[in-house]
Amino acid sequence: MPPPAPRCSILTGRGGAGLVWGSTGGRARGGGPSVSTRGTSADDRIAAAAIDARFGKGRRSSRVLTEVDFTAAAGEATAIIGPSGSGKTTLLRVLAGLHPGHCGHLTLDGRPLAARVQRRTLEQQRRIQFVPQNPLAALNPRHTVGQQLTRPLRLHANLPKNVRPDRVTELLAQVDLPADYAGRYPGELSGGQRQRVSIARALATEPDILLCDEVTSALDFDTATTRTAQVPVSEKSETGP
């Protein structure tokens, strides 16, 4: 049986649009990108209140988000829409705990959520996963694909060591990569293949919330419109809410 799909996914998309797949719905107000939602509401949610965020340091810094409120509830899908530079990526990074230089409040299921990912509990880290726009910068060039997929399994999935290789094979299959890619390094992969690995790594923890920043930007057209780009949605349909 396939693992549970993420209950909430939030994606930004190329061309000024963003989408959240999985079990999240959301709304945002204030200066920054706009958000549309679809699905049903539930008690579980990630929320941001009165978020102000800047990009850069010192006099060269610029405000990207101003008084933004955002809510994403279980069972819904959320789209983040806005032109380039409107703060779509910054909002996702704030939610992921990767843009601590902001003011405001984050909560998960109504409980405070630390601004820095390092200060979040292991369970909170497991529940919230981020797929960046540039997978090459996110993958360790010195570690094989298998090693990078095994790490979240070791930290968050509580799988016995002898079972992890089979789970790595399953994750690669979910993104249409052969099992022998586990032995390859990121530098031996195309941009699209690296993006698939990045998606697989995020899915390894069986997250509740999946944050995706232009997840199809590194994929070729055929791949972006077929299985790999639909992984969060198709897994949800296979496993139910």
Side-chain angles (χ1 to χ4, degrees), residues 27 43 68 73 79 95-96 105 110 119 121 125 135-136 166 173 175 186 197 218 220 223 228 237:
R27 55 179 169 76
D43 293 334
V68 170
L95 295 173
H105 302 281
R119 295 183 178 179
T121 67
Q125 293 176 21
L136 184 59
D166 290 338
V175 294
V197 172
D220 60 83
T223 302
T228 300
S237 66

Side-chain angles (χ1 to χ4, degrees), residues 10 23 31 54 64 94 107 130-131 170 189 191 196 198 224:
I10 306 171
S23 52
R54 304 186 73 87
V64 182
V94 167
T107 58
F130 179 58
V131 181
E170 292 175 358
L189 307 178
R196 299 189 203 190
S198 187

Side-chain angles (χ1 to χ4, degrees), residues 193-224:
Q193 290 167 342
R194 288 192 290 264
Q195 186 67 292
R196 299 189 203 190
V197 172
S198 187
I199 294 171
R201 185 176 63 176
L203 294 175
T205 70
E206 300 179 10
D208 293 336
I209 299 165
L210 188 60
L211 310 168
C212 300
D213 186 13
E214 298 196 17
V215 69
T216 62
S217 62
L219 303 177
D220 60 83
F221 177 80
D222 291 338
T223 302

Side-chain angles (χ1 to χ4, degrees), residues 96-133:
L98 301 175
H99 192 92
H102 72 269
C103 300
H105 302 281
L106 300 176
T107 58
L108 181 63
D109 301 342
R111 300 179 180 86
L113 183 65
R116 293 179 180 272
V117 66
Q118 296 89 342
R119 295 183 178 179
R120 296 178 181 179
T121 67
L122 280 177
E123 177 62 8
Q124 289 172 335
Q125 293 176 21
R126 181 200 69 78
R127 293 181 63 188
I128 303 172
Q129 291 292 308
F130 179 58
V131 181
Q133 182 178 352

Side-chain angles (χ1 to χ4, degrees), residues 19-214:
L19 174 65
V20 181
W21 284 331
S23 52
T24 308
R27 55 179 169 76
R29 65 173 183 269
S34 60
V35 178
S36 63
T37 65
R38 60 185 174 85
T40 58
S41 62
D43 293 334
D44 299 320
R45 67 183 62 233
I46 187 171
I51 298 296
D52 286 353
R54 304 186 73 87
F55 187 81
K57 296 182 179 180
R59 295 181 179 179
R60 296 185 178 182
S61 69
S62 59
R63 181 171 291 182
V64 182
L65 301 175
T66 304
E67 292 293 316
V68 170
D69 292 351
F70 177 86
T71 303
E76 296 181 346
T78 301
I80 300 178
I81 302 171
S84 178
S86 64
K88 302 184 301 296
T89 295
T90 301
L91 178 56
L92 291 193
R93 289 180 61 83
V94 167
L95 295 173
L98 301 175
H99 192 92
H102 72 269
C103 300
H105 302 281
L106 300 176
T107 58
L108 181 63
D109 301 342
R111 300 179 180 86
L113 183 65
R116 293 179 180 272
V117 66
Q118 296 89 342
R119 295 183 178 179
R120 296 178 181 179
T121 67
L122 280 177
E123 177 62 8
Q124 289 172 335
Q125 293 176 21
R126 181 200 69 78
R127 293 181 63 188
I128 303 172
Q129 291 292 308
F130 179 58
V131 181
Q133 182 178 352
N134 181 5
L136 184 59
L139 298 175
N140 190 324
R142 298 184 179 182
H143 292 173
T144 66
V145 168
Q147 289 173 318
Q148 300 194 60
L149 295 183
T150 297
R151 186 172 187 272
L153 298 178
R154 175 172 52 83
L155 292 177
H156 302 293
N158 198 28
L159 286 178
K161 188 174 182 179
N162 64 320
V163 177
R164 294 171 193 165
D166 290 338
R167 180 66 181 125
V168 167
T169 298
E170 292 175 358
L171 289 166
L172 290 173
Q174 282 184 269
V175 294
D176 290 335
L177 288 177
D180 61 6
Y181 272 51
R184 297 194 181 189
Y185 291 87
E188 299 176 303
L189 307 178
S190 68
Q193 290 167 342
R194 288 192 290 264
Q195 186 67 292
R196 299 189 203 190
V197 172
S198 187
I199 294 171
R201 185 176 63 176
L203 294 175
T205 70
E206 300 179 10
D208 293 336
I209 299 165
L210 188 60
L211 310 168
C212 300
D213 186 13
E214 298 196 17

Side-chain angles (χ1 to χ4, degrees), residues 1-23:
M1 179 179 294
R7 293 186 300 159
C8 164
S9 314
I10 306 171
L11 285 82
T12 66
R14 186 164 46 182
L19 174 65
V20 181
W21 284 331
S23 52

